[in-house]
Amino acid sequence: MSPAAHGTKLTSTIFFICTITLLSLLISSVGKTESYHPPQGTLVVTGDPWPPFADPNDPNLGIAPCILSKTLTNPESKVKMLFQPWARAEIAVDEGRADVLINCAKTDRREETYYFSNPYIKIKLVLIKRSDDPFVYTGLNSLSGKRIGTVYGYAYPDYFINNEKIYKDPVKTISDNFKKLHANRIDLIIDDELVATKQLLNMPTPYSNNFEIIPTEIAPIDLHIATSRKNPSGSKVIDLFNANLKKIMDNGVYQDIMSAYQANKSSIK
């Protein structure tokens, strides 16, 4: 099967799985959170573009919105997907301009601020280098002195963040990191394996050949939806999501979604 035919089949499969309930899933993108005021009665879900987990260019908006279409929507309610940089998404939830934060990893600080759902995906952190870079990863110590591209607000392992010998250089998006890596302004990028692979697949071949993914021994990280502890309905949203997540895991719909996105390695068993 040609790549084009495979892509058509994949899109059709995902559309069939998600389209009915996604009719009530709206999409928006804003430049400043302070200018946004959600309609009354609308459940606002927010996060940054992070294909394939959250993708404004995907008709079904990515894996997480597809799962939310099966767990948080019903005929009486609407869910609005608000794409914005991660740091702004956190502020929007903290200040009550959004209700749900998607693709959120637990940290001690966040657990003081948010209610967390059961995990619905897991990620595997990898490194990306320039193809002409002779660097060989042999563990955390081999990153000493390296400039590592990160993303503002993302949660990374404490032993990585707290290592002062590793220089972290945050930007708004992983796409910005690839631009900086190509320009030799950073040495490496750290991000999820599936996300990095998706980025490379979406690049023109001559450009994508400039990069190489390096596996690491970093343990997989569970991701959740989160709601503010200041939100009176926050815990109820989490309970609803958890109950319906179990249902779609039991009836096979969850695995159908993950398989349609070729994301089985990111599935929660």
Side-chain angles (χ1 to χ4, degrees):
M1 181 182 294
S2 70
H6 179 78
T8 301
K9 182 178 180 182
L10 176 62
T11 301
S12 299
T13 302
I14 299 169
F15 185 79
F16 178 77
I17 294 170
C18 299
T19 186
I20 296 176
T21 47
L22 273 171
L23 291 175
S24 62
L25 188 64
L26 308 176
I27 179 172
S28 180
S29 178
V30 297
K32 295 183 178 180
T33 55
E34 59 266 28
S35 66
Y36 176 70
H37 300 282
Q40 188 173 4
T42 300
L43 188 66
V44 180
V45 176
T46 191
D48 64 337
W50 199 44
F53 297 112
D55 186 358
N57 297 316
D58 176 353
N60 296 294
L61 309 185
I63 294 173
C66 205
I67 291 173
L68 265 63
S69 78
K70 298 296 184 181
T71 53
L72 290 183
T73 60
N74 59 57
E76 289 76 38
S77 67
K78 290 183 178 181
V79 174
K80 187 179 185 71
M81 183 65 219
L82 187 64
F83 286 102
Q84 54 190 330
W86 181 261
R88 290 180 182 170
E90 283 196 290
I91 292 172
V93 172
D94 291 345
E95 297 186 353
R97 289 190 295 272
D99 303 292
V100 177
L101 191 62
I102 61 171
N103 300 333
C104 189
K106 285 185 179 181
T107 66
D108 291 342
R109 179 190 66 80
R110 287 177 179 173
E111 289 199 82
E112 294 176 358
T113 305
Y114 302 130
Y115 297 113
F116 280 89
S117 72
N118 294 334
Y120 62 93
I121 52 176
K122 61 183 177 182
I123 61 171
K124 177 63 177 172
L125 292 179
V126 295
L127 296 167
I128 303 99
K129 70 171 186 175
R130 292 182 302 279
S131 298
D132 60 359
D133 185 348
F135 170 76
V136 176
Y137 177 75
T138 57
L140 194 65
N141 289 338
S142 64
L143 300 181
S144 293
K146 297 293 184 181
R147 301 165 297 171
I148 312 293
T150 59
V151 176
Y152 283 114
Y154 279 17
Y156 300 95
D158 287 343
Y159 57 81
F160 171 80
I161 290 296
N162 296 332
N163 190 321
E164 296 181 355
K165 295 181 180 179
I166 302 173
Y167 302 107
K168 277 72 70 173
D169 193 345
V171 293
K172 290 183 179 180
T173 70
I174 185 175
S175 297
D176 293 337
N177 272 327
F178 272 100
K179 293 174 184 176
K180 292 180 71 172
L181 183 60
H182 185 255
N184 201 23
R185 293 168 57 198
I186 55 175
D187 300 306
L188 299 161
I189 300 169
I190 185 169
D191 214 295
D192 171 66
E193 182 176 21
L194 188 59
V195 172
T197 301
K198 178 75 170 177
Q199 288 284 322
L200 294 178
L201 288 174
N202 287 342
M203 294 176 187
T205 301
Y207 187 69
S208 65
N209 288 340
N210 292 315
F211 307 106
E212 179 182 332
I213 294 175
I214 310 171
T216 73
E217 81 291 354
I218 299 173
I221 299 172
D222 289 341
L223 297 187
H224 317 252
I225 68 165
T227 59
S228 173
R229 290 182 178 272
K230 294 181 288 187
N231 183 343
S233 300
S235 61
K236 294 179 181 178
V237 172
I238 296 298
D239 289 343
L240 175 64
F241 176 86
N242 286 342
N244 286 329
L245 178 64
K246 184 179 186 304
K247 288 180 182 178
I248 66 171
M249 284 182 165
D250 290 344
N251 65 20
V253 170
Y254 170 83
Q255 198 55 52
D256 287 344
I257 294 171
M258 300 303 286
S259 296
Y261 279 95
Q262 300 177 321
N264 292 320
K265 289 183 179 180
S266 299
S267 297
I268 297 294
K269 305 300 182 183

